[in-house]
Amino acid sequence: MLFLVYVVLFLGGFYLFGAAFNAEAWQGLIFSAGIFAVSLALGLVVHSQRKS
């Protein structure tokens, strides 16, 4: 189940990267949200591996 959360965050972040270039406004905020989503996905994976 957590794998799906990681994948959605990771791929959603990449989607936000691309969407930022097509947006009329708030490009920087959308791109930053993509960076945050990808970073969060990778951070959660690393954190969950440390526990086990």
Side-chain angles (χ1 to χ4, degrees):
M1 181 64 179
L2 284 177
F3 178 74
L4 290 176
V5 173
Y6 304 147
V7 169
V8 167
L9 280 171
F10 191 75
L11 295 178
F14 279 107
Y15 175 78
L16 288 172
F17 290 154
F21 290 103
N22 294 327
E24 295 291 324
W26 303 98
Q27 296 94 349
L29 185 63
I30 296 170
F31 193 82
S32 297
I35 291 173
F36 180 73
V38 170
S39 300
L40 183 62
L42 293 176
L44 287 173
V45 168
V46 169
H47 183 71
S48 68
Q49 293 298 318
R50 282 180 136 184
K51 285 183 160 183
S52 43

